Amino acid sequence: MSNRALRFLFALDLFLAAFFLAGCETTMPEGIQQSRAAAAQQIQAEAPGDYFIGRRYFKIPQYKFWGYVRRPGQPWSTSQLVVFNEKEKLAPDREQLNFGFDNNYEYKLYGRFSGDKVYDAGSNGFYPEFVLKKIELISVSPAPIFKSQYSDRARAAVSKLTIEKPE
């Protein structure tokens, strides 16, 4: 799918989300809609380039995936849950020996997808391998991308073992 088509779908997603959320204001904490709209504008303003945007997604230590990765300018709904190949560069939490401290942090990632899928026994799933070369912190408190981050009902429905997908 072309970048232009993806941007159109992203804009359509935003419109439909705004239309739906306009009737659901009482279920969302104050400020979430503005935060999500600002995040959408930020995504649209990202410069194209040879990098990726990553959101750390740490679930109980049994899971070995790193988090979600997407291309700049694309919505989080297009992101992929990945496992890092850290032969060239360690992830921040492994560098500091403080596993998972950076849950939900957002990063600019430099590297590439190897084309391989890596098995994670904890989740019993196969995930794309991302060869990490460099990582830069973007935010320690980015806008929400998971329903459980802005809905009490969704938060209650998510167990420790549930793997959420960004919206």
Side-chain angles (χ1 to χ4, degrees), residues 34-108:
Q34 294 86 354
S35 176
R36 292 183 79 195
Q41 289 176 340
Q42 181 182 3
I43 288 171
Q44 287 183 326
E46 290 170 347
D50 194 21
Y51 68 94
F52 296 83
I53 304 296
R55 179 72 65 93
R56 179 69 162 109
Y57 184 62
F58 182 80
K59 294 293 272 191
I60 59 176
Q62 289 87 334
Y63 293 132
K64 303 300 181 208
F65 47 71
W66 177 80
Y68 284 97
V69 173
R70 65 175 174 78
R71 285 272 183 200
Q74 293 185 352
W76 281 106
S77 60
T78 66
S79 66
Q80 298 181 68
L81 191 56
V82 302
V83 173
F84 274 170
N85 174 325
E86 297 175 284
K87 289 180 182 173
E88 294 183 44
K89 172 73 176 155
L90 290 177
D93 65 329
R94 287 179 36 99
E95 276 185 335
Q96 296 182 24
L97 297 177
N98 188 5
F99 302 107
F101 84 89
D102 59 345
N103 186 44
N104 199 44
Y105 285 22
E106 193 165 290
Y107 294 97
K108 185 181 274 192

Side-chain angles (χ1 to χ4, degrees), residues 3 8-9 29 47 59 68 73 78-79 96 104 125 128 131 150 159 164:
N3 198 19
F8 171 77
L9 289 175
K59 294 293 272 191
Y68 284 97
T78 66
S79 66
Q96 296 182 24
N104 199 44
V131 181
Y150 59 86
S159 77
E164 296 177 84

